[in-house]
Amino acid sequence: MLSVVIPAYNEEQMLPRAVKVLDELLTSQQIPYEMIFVDDGSKDHTWDEICEAHRNNEHVRGIHFSRNFGKEAAIFAGLSESRGDCSAVIDCDLQHPPGTLVEMYRLWEKGYEVVEGSKRTRGKESAAHRAATGIFYRIMSRAVKIDMTHASDFKLLDRKAVESILEMPERNAFFRAMSAWIGFRHASVEFDVQEREAGESKWSTRRLISYAVSNIVGYSTAPMQFVTGAGIVVFVLAVVLGIQTLVRYCTGHAVEGFTTVILLILLIGSVIMFSLGIIGYYIARIYEEVKGRPKYIISRKI
Ligand code: UDP
Ligand code: MG
């Protein structure tokens, strides 16, 4: 059986369409399935729609979070509820073409254990957004040592892969990177990101930036190495300037006045503050993980 995990946050408009499209497609392809909708603490009638879909179709199941925990948490909750031999994750807004899901399933039948959906085109995005995601994925790709520039959350995982992802204890999970990190027999399928038909994107620029920062800190120690790098640069400058100052002092031409001192203090001060900030992000992450709170809280299930 195929378990389809569908995170949904304020998707009352798209949810009935998603149920209909997926049901028709999977039935016509004779793929046994269950659909697990994870209502990520929606403020609209998403939960009612899930209940309604459940009444009409016994393959539909639902989980309701006590508040909004984010898409990553929703994916994890769906995966841990899934009972299929393989589980797929797909967006509720049908931006991930359901036809590709069938392609993924066929690859799984051929023995692939992790089938990744890879974005051929990214759909409508601003130039700034494109540039920022470019930098983000370059850092992430280096951190997990796998090219992630076309990564998406649209994936199909074998039971074994699902289990190994669920076993990872970290609270601040990044599904895209984890599925690449676990290994297994990989295959990827290209798809074009579709236009959203109704409702709106839940990702504000601010939310995306904080998501990016938390994932970089979660998977890469590159920013920490930047601190070391900055330290080395400042040290080299210090040696050069130190020698020059001494020579000038000995030859009786010592620089006088505050300007040099002020510039140096400002420069070194900002390098130190910046470095402390970076280390602070890591400490915050450690603190979050050590608290060991659950990733999500489920309030209702059907
Ligand atoms: N989503 C979620 N929780 C959130 C934000 C989004 O479960 O806090 C779901 C949303 O319902 C959708 C998917 O994640 O099924 C992708 O969200 P969206 O379409 O807003 O993102 P975009 O396609 O713009 O990247
Ligand atoms: Mg979307």
Side-chain angles (χ1 to χ4, degrees), residues 159-230:
R159 192 75 236 159
K160 276 182 283 182
V162 173
E163 297 293 342
S164 41
I165 286 192
L166 290 176
E167 267 168 29
M168 292 193 211
E170 65 232 60
R171 265 180 36 80
N172 218 317
F174 186 43
F175 181 58
R176 289 173 205 191
M178 282 182 160
S179 68
W181 186 87
I182 52 171
F184 290 108
R185 277 192 73 193
H186 260 254
S188 71
V189 177
E190 291 200 323
F191 71 92
D192 292 307
V193 177
Q194 310 291 308
E195 291 265 326
R196 189 186 249 282
E197 285 171 33
E200 54 194 27
S201 173
K202 314 296 177 305
W203 298 89
S204 61
T205 310
R206 225 179 102 198
R207 198 168 170 197
L208 271 178
I209 292 174
S210 85
Y211 184 63
V213 169
S214 109
N215 286 321
I216 290 173
V217 173
Y219 280 83
S220 165
T221 49
M224 292 265 225
Q225 283 143 20
F226 169 83
V227 174
T228 320

Side-chain angles (χ1 to χ4, degrees), residues 29-95:
Q29 294 285 329
Q30 285 163 357
I31 300 175
Y33 73 91
E34 63 172 355
M35 275 185 233
I36 304 170
F37 283 95
V38 186
D39 178 355
D40 188 5
S42 302
K43 293 179 187 67
D44 62 0
H45 298 293
T46 303
W47 182 248
D48 302 331
E49 291 293 343
I50 296 175
C51 295
E52 175 67 26
H54 172 73
R55 273 193 290 278
N56 300 329
N57 182 343
E58 53 173 10
H59 302 298
V60 175
R61 297 165 61 199
I63 302 172
H64 186 277
F65 281 178
S66 58
R67 64 166 171 88
N68 180 245
F69 281 93
K71 187 182 179 188
E72 296 290 331
I75 292 176
F76 274 79
L79 288 179
S80 65
E81 281 297 315
S82 69
R83 297 186 283 225
D85 307 302
C86 60
S87 305
V89 177
I90 186 168
D91 277 3
C92 189
D93 54 12
L94 298 175
Q95 284 190 295

Side-chain angles (χ1 to χ4, degrees), residues 124-131:
K124 260 206 289 194
E125 267 175 2
S126 71
H129 185 108
R130 209 173 288 255

